[in-house]
Amino acid sequence: MFAGFMTNAWIVGSIAAVVAGVVGFFVVVRGSAFVAHALPQSAFTGAAGASLLGISTVFGMGTFALASALGIAWLGKRGRHDVVTALTLVMLLGTGELFLSYKTEYAQAIYSLLFGEVLGVSANEVLPSAVVAGVAIVAVALMYRPLMLTSVLPDMGEARGVRSHRMEMLFLVVVALATTAAVPVVGALLMFSLMIGPPAASRCFTDSPLAAIALSVALALVTVWASLAIAYERNWPVGFLVGTIGAALYVIGRLWAAWRQAHTVRPGSVGLAPETAPAH
Amino acid sequence: MGPAEASGNLVSLDGISVWLSGHEVLRDVSFSVRPGEFTGLIGSNGAGKTTILRVILGLQEPTAGRVLVKGKAGARHNRSVGYVPQKVLIDPDLPLRARDVVGLGLDGHRFGLSTSSGVRRRRIEEMLGAVDAAGFADSRMGNLSGGEQQRVLIAHALIGQPELLLLDEPLANLDIASGHEIVELMRRVATEHHVAVLLSAHDMNPLLPAMERVVYVAAGRAASGTVDEVVRSEVLSELYGHPVTVLRVEGRILVVAGSHDQTEILASAPHWLERT
Ligand SMILES: Nc1ncnc2c1ncn2[C@@H]1O[C@H](COP(=O)(O)OP(=O)(O)O)[C@@H](O)[C@H]1O
Ligand SMILES: [Mg+2]
């Protein structure tokens, strides 16, 4: 299963996993799951529009995802974020359907963008995915500290001159990039689950943010690799496998966290003198 | 050199008025804070304490008047002011330790890759020690008690080496013992790090041992000075715009409405007596 046409699927699948693991960590921390649901949908609409115009699908996805990200960020400044996101989502789905109604012969290709079509990944999709994913990951690395500050302590960040709204805008652009890189392999509906399941599970296993990001990437890779292997063996849909394994990881994480809570005494309390504290 | 700097004030508010949605939230508020001074910002809920702090931080533009921080207008992005807001909610699911929160206070505003040097580690360690938080440095922030979180947030604000620390109701959700510990800590920190502290509270009693000056806020107006100068029946009656009486009972101060026979408590009361 490592031969021939599957090679591209393994490469693009791994790229999707890494970018979803990194970007998804902040999606979960910021409580932006709903936006992470809407942006892959907008990528789908963009792809439908691109196929109608006969231009590059990746270009169409990227343009629509970016426009939606900026739109949600801009409108969210005034109205409620969830309402704005929902309206954007509904509008995009409708537009996507309109695009499809005009050009039925591409319906199969567009369908695969919703649910993923790993076995059909072609060699010329690998490089654009890798480049866009690379840009998204470098962007997260560069904005890591202010992004964390505004995610956790927005008022304290504002007082130090870090504009929460500007960081939100930048972050949504990064989610749009991650989406563009990953949608061709896992599909719009399941890029979403890859950005939520592994990062949410990773939080249960460690208290350190950087360790949680590393673990999130590792779990996303395991999810994608296992999904591809099972899909190849059993001919089950990749999207189904990614969604199910992601959810299973989260349940395991929760159980582990509950077990750990019950079996550990927290080191240190108010009365504990600093010098008796564990040093590590 | 501006007049405020010449007079040695760290912060000075001069005739500040703030209108929000058609309401005059602050009216002609003037006071100043000198370096290293511990000031209590006292007033009941809705009096305007948070708005005053936001004006000093430059997060709220005043409708009239001016605010000078270190002799300069507009404190926004001024690294010499540290801030701990009133309500900080930390998700217990968040993988972030106390030491990470303090680290964000040091360089959380910077873009680019973090240099996790030994110097940085030592500074964080020192700061955790200074607020008696070394014992839970590696614990998840969301699992700490209110008092413990408050210490970590103070360390976050303090590690940037501000000259002024603004704390908005740090005692609001703490039990009495933890409240006393925080006040004691702030008094120590103010002296050791030579930081001026402006701390808001609806009850002035826990602050009495530490407070060098008081800014008393009522219905958007403020009076400032020492406790003995400000917390007097004449001054507060003038401030509230109706007669109030200041009572001292067993070392505690109570401010009640009307003259002696009426006992409606306005501020400085225990929680169970507080007006809603
Ligand atoms: N954005 C706003 N719009 C309208 N009124 C506001 C706004 N923010 C605060 N207020 C009002 O200003 C008054 C002072 O608020 P605040 O400074 O938060 O008081 P405190 O911190 O002393 O409880 C309150 O009456 C409050 O309702
Ligand atoms: Mg307040």
Side-chain angles (χ1 to χ4, degrees):
Chain A
M1 64 186 183
F2 294 93
F5 64 94
M6 277 300 280
T7 314
N8 295 328
W10 285 99
I11 295 171
V12 179
S14 304
I15 293 170
V18 173
V19 77
V22 172
V23 175
F25 175 79
F26 278 104
V27 167
V28 170
V29 163
R30 297 174 68 85
S32 308
F34 194 32
V35 177
H37 177 55
L39 291 183
Q41 299 292 336
S42 71
F44 154 74
T45 303
S51 85
L52 190 61
L53 295 173
I55 56 175
S56 152
T57 326
V58 170
F59 179 77
M61 289 196 307
T63 312
F64 263 68
L66 272 178
S68 309
L70 294 174
I72 290 171
W74 186 70
L75 290 169
K77 198 177 181 178
R78 274 143 256 266
R80 261 178 52 194
H81 220 288
D82 55 342
V83 172
V84 168
T85 308
L87 290 174
T88 308
L89 175 58
V90 167
M91 210 184 67
L92 285 165
L93 282 178
T95 313
E97 197 187 359
L98 177 73
F99 288 163
L100 285 187
S101 74
Y102 272 97
K103 203 140 189 183
T104 47
E105 64 260 45
Y106 284 97
Q108 187 52 44
I110 300 304
Y111 177 84
S112 77
L113 283 174
L114 266 182
F115 294 99
E117 194 196 32
V118 158
L119 305 186
V121 175
S122 62
N124 60 11
E125 282 178 276
V126 175
L127 189 62
S129 266
V131 170
V132 176
V135 170
I137 289 167
V138 169
V140 171
L142 291 180
M143 62 200 254
Y144 174 77
R145 289 176 289 173
L147 185 59
M148 185 63 103
L149 181 59
T150 53
S151 303
V152 183
L153 303 164
D155 292 338
M156 296 173 93
E158 285 278 350
R160 300 203 66 182
V162 185
R163 305 282 181 94
S164 300
H165 185 255
R166 200 166 292 167
M167 292 312 297
E168 171 77 2
M169 180 97 75
L170 284 174
F171 179 65
L172 289 180
V173 167
V174 169
V175 177
L177 288 176
T179 295
T180 308
V183 158
V185 64
V186 287
L189 294 177
L190 291 136
M191 176 53 187
F192 172 51
S193 66
L194 205 51
M195 277 200 285
I196 305 296
S202 76
R203 300 177 310 166
C204 305
F205 296 102
T206 172
D207 293 333
S208 151
L210 288 174
I213 292 175
L215 186 59
S216 166
V217 168
L219 293 178
L221 280 170
V222 166
T223 304
V224 167
W225 289 341
S227 301
L228 286 179
I230 298 170
Y232 182 79
E233 294 295 332
R234 304 263 153 180
N235 207 21
W236 285 355
V238 175
F240 161 75
L241 291 163
V242 168
T244 309
I245 295 173
L249 286 174
Y250 180 70
V251 171
I252 294 168
R254 274 285 163 211
L255 291 174
W256 166 255
W259 185 86
R260 193 173 61 154
Q261 195 102 46
H263 290 259
T264 49
V265 180
R266 216 186 69 214
S269 59
V270 190
L272 196 66
E275 53 273 19
T276 61
H280 61 116
Chain B
M1 189 182 273
E5 208 171 349
S7 66
N9 288 328
L10 199 50
V11 173
S12 61
L13 279 73
D14 187 13
I16 294 290
S17 293
V18 171
W19 286 75
L20 290 171
S21 338
H23 295 280
E24 190 173 33
V25 173
L26 295 180
R27 174 151 45 110
D28 195 20
V29 169
S30 304
F31 68 89
S32 50
V33 177
R34 285 192 289 260
E37 210 169 50
F38 192 119
T39 308
L41 181 63
I42 309 298
S44 51
N45 287 332
K49 304 181 295 296
T50 300
T51 310
I52 288 177
L53 296 180
R54 287 175 57 81
V55 165
I56 295 175
L57 283 163
L59 297 177
Q60 174 67 54
E61 201 55 43
T63 316
R66 64 176 194 160
V67 56
L68 296 178
V69 177
K70 292 182 76 183
K72 286 201 215 80
R76 191 162 183 143
H77 313 180
N78 197 324
R79 300 263 181 271
S80 46
V81 183
Y83 175 50
V84 180
Q86 186 166 0
K87 286 193 198 79
V88 177
L89 293 173
I90 307 270
D91 182 0
D93 285 341
L94 184 72
L96 199 69
R97 299 157 301 185
R99 67 168 69 255
D100 300 314
V101 172
V102 178
L104 284 175
L106 189 61
D107 51 19
H109 57 286
R110 294 226 180 94
F111 283 83
L113 297 174
S114 173
T115 49
S116 57
S117 65
V119 178
R120 182 177 188 275
R121 249 184 97 82
R122 264 196 302 284
R123 275 190 72 184
I124 294 172
E125 215 70 53
E126 261 170 38
M127 193 43 72
L128 284 161
V131 299
D132 303 331
F136 43 87
D138 288 301
S139 293
R140 202 179 262 236
M141 187 66 177
N143 288 342
L144 298 177
S145 73
E148 290 168 336
Q149 286 190 2
Q150 201 62 251
R151 284 162 195 275
V152 177
L153 294 173
I154 289 168
H156 169 104
L158 209 52
I159 199 169
Q161 297 182 319
E163 289 170 64
L164 171 67
L165 205 51
L166 306 178
L167 304 173
D168 201 358
E169 305 235 17
L171 313 180
N173 300 311
L174 302 185
D175 56 81
I176 293 172
S178 313
H180 277 299
E181 283 176 20
I182 294 289
V183 172
E184 195 40 52
L185 172 71
M186 287 325 301
R187 177 156 72 160
R188 199 180 73 209
V189 157
T191 324
E192 282 173 9
H193 296 249
H194 199 67
V195 179
V197 174
L198 181 60
L199 187 156
S200 85
H202 52 259
D203 180 2
M204 76 178 99
N205 285 302
L207 302 180
L208 289 176
M211 206 158 51
E212 292 165 85
R213 291 172 71 81
V214 62
V215 177
Y216 198 106
V217 195
R221 301 203 306 145
S224 68
T226 64
V227 174
D228 289 336
E229 282 165 6
V230 173
V231 189
R232 297 195 339 235
S233 301
E234 310 89 83
V235 177
L236 295 190
S237 296
E238 162 78 19
L239 191 65
Y240 277 105
H242 59 79
V244 301
T245 307
V246 173
L247 300 174
R248 288 172 194 257
V249 191
E250 293 176 23
R252 291 176 64 84
I253 301 178
L254 300 182
V255 180
V256 301
S259 34
H260 298 285
D261 48 326
Q262 290 167 290
T263 53
E264 192 185 0
I265 307 232
L266 290 171
S268 320
H271 295 282
W272 49 270
L273 277 174
E274 192 185 314
R275 255 190 4 164
T276 46

